[in-house]
Amino acid sequence: MTTSTAPQSSASAPLLDLHALVVAVRRRRRLWAGLALLGLLAGAAVAVLLPPRPAAVTKVLVAHKDDQPNDTGTLIRTDVELLGTTQIAAEALRSLGSGEDPEDFMQDYRGTGLTNNLLRIDVTGDSDADAVARAEALAETFVADHVRRLREAAEAESKSLLDQRDRMRKELAEVNRSIGDRSPDDEPKASASIESLFARRAELDSRIAEFDQRAAEALTGTPEVVAGTQIVDAPHAVRHSLPRAVVTNAGIGLALGLVLGLALAAVGAVVADRPVLRREIAANLGASVLAELRRGPRRSVRSWQRRRTRAARERLTTTLARLVRGSAEPVSLLELGCARGAGVIALDVAGALEADGPVVVVDALPGTDLAGARRKSGGPTVLSGERAAAEPHHVRRLGVGSVAPGTAWTDLHHLGSRTVLVVRAGHGSAAWLHTVARQLADQRIAVIGVVLVDPDPRDRTDGTLWDGPHVTAPHGRDEPPKRHNGTGRVRAERPVVPAATVPDTDQEAR
């Protein structure tokens, strides 16, 4: 265990520590679990308080003259767009006898192309009967419009072919007239011209017959396509199941709330930069983790869990009492994020030290009353900083204070020149931990270790520093040989080894 650290280079530090991020997100499970629960309740409430409007659905088989097996759905998409026009909406409203604006009516229905030839129409209304009537009117209007367009296209094509046939008939009449004007006694030179007229007449006869056939086919194919366009699924109301809607909306709300909560927890962990791993806290404070203390058991936990917590407290008390007995200087406990727990630990350690002689706990914790707690449960004497100055020197002192923001740093030296930091994991930011290490070093207060409160149960990182040049109490070296606390003997003065200054930024470290 050491009281100083060698700052790592910025090149070796990862840009984003995934392990620390996962631990920080898991520790914020109240946030994302609460948002997930809120999303669940919100989704269920929306399904109950805002039920969907009555709806109806129908399906129409749409036949196209230019249907191809390899069609990519262009024709059915055209039909969907045609369904969403004001002309179709106005015709459907006219058949219903409604004076509603067609643009408003278009917001109440939509078409969906299921296949190349199957169109589904979804309509909403004020009631199931109204929705069914609207769906039927829309389907019939669309079928009638589609049939009308097919017939108009077929008639236009047939008329165009017949017009070309009539023009060729006129040309044929002129050719026949030219042939009739020639006499058999004409010169032999005109025989070639007569043969070309006969060839032209034959070609015109063939093309006239072809145009007659194509015009007939154009009209003949239309009834087949018209008959293929029909309503294949009669309009019917869509049944709404409230339990199913509640379950669906609740699941969607749960997923959205969980994703949002995890995102907020991850972003908050990165922005706040609050170390939660042992190695990070030890590196930022420049001191090794001596012991850990889990969160206090709740009333609902099992008895064996409470026994395990009591055993951990007893081990922590024994460890800290051994450190205080072996220290030549007064030792203090300085908390960060766990004032009440630090006070309880101080009373436990003082109670364990009473077997060696009188002990006074110097209370400098903000917002706590250790004296009141002692009167209720019994224990060592608890005094404030002013009254503790009047105590005789042979009485062992155990100071307890805070290094939270707003601390009077110059007063900490009166609690003890050596300290054990009681830090709650994930409470202080990395910048504040640097500040604590720097201020304690300026006050020449040696940090002999860290007690980590509420650590992550899945944290497997090592909280021991091995690369520092100054080794302290657990290994018994560099002990400041001043007056031994509680013995009255004075030894030769020797400078106290302070905690190393930790850089606040990567630029300062470089």
Side-chain angles (χ1 to χ4, degrees), residues 140-270:
E140 292 177 352
T141 301
F142 176 78
V143 170
D145 181 77
H146 186 72
V147 169
R148 178 181 57 80
R149 286 186 287 105
L150 287 176
R151 285 177 176 171
E152 289 178 353
E155 291 175 357
E157 183 180 1
S158 176
K159 185 177 181 302
S160 175
L161 293 173
L162 293 176
D163 289 343
Q164 294 184 34
R165 182 203 63 181
D166 293 340
R167 287 195 300 270
M168 290 183 180
R169 280 182 176 178
K170 291 180 181 179
E171 185 179 354
L172 178 62
E174 294 178 358
V175 171
N176 289 333
R177 202 165 36 250
S178 298
I179 294 175
D181 293 341
R182 300 296 179 98
S183 62
D185 297 334
D186 289 341
E187 297 179 0
K189 295 181 180 180
S191 60
S193 177
I194 294 175
E195 290 180 0
S196 64
L197 290 175
F198 278 106
R200 178 60 178 167
R201 184 174 64 178
E203 181 184 358
L204 290 174
D205 287 336
S206 174
R207 296 189 65 181
I208 288 172
E210 179 184 355
F211 279 118
D212 283 336
Q213 181 180 0
R214 290 173 60 186
E217 290 177 354
L219 294 175
T220 303
T222 302
E224 181 180 349
V225 178
V226 168
T229 302
Q230 57 183 326
I231 300 175
V232 294
D233 189 6
H236 58 277
V238 178
R239 300 303 175 188
H240 173 66
S241 175
L242 182 60
R244 180 179 299 177
V246 170
V247 172
T248 302
N249 291 0
I252 295 175
L254 174 65
L256 293 178
L258 181 60
V259 171
L260 179 61
L262 290 175
L264 289 178
V267 172
V270 173

Side-chain angles (χ1 to χ4, degrees), residues 13-41:
L15 181 62
L16 182 63
D17 192 346
L18 294 179
H19 185 193
L21 179 61
V22 170
V23 172
V25 171
R26 186 168 58 242
R27 288 177 64 86
R28 295 189 176 188
R29 55 185 175 272
R30 290 186 178 181
L31 172 63
W32 50 262
L35 286 178
L37 179 60
L38 182 61
L40 175 70
L41 297 178

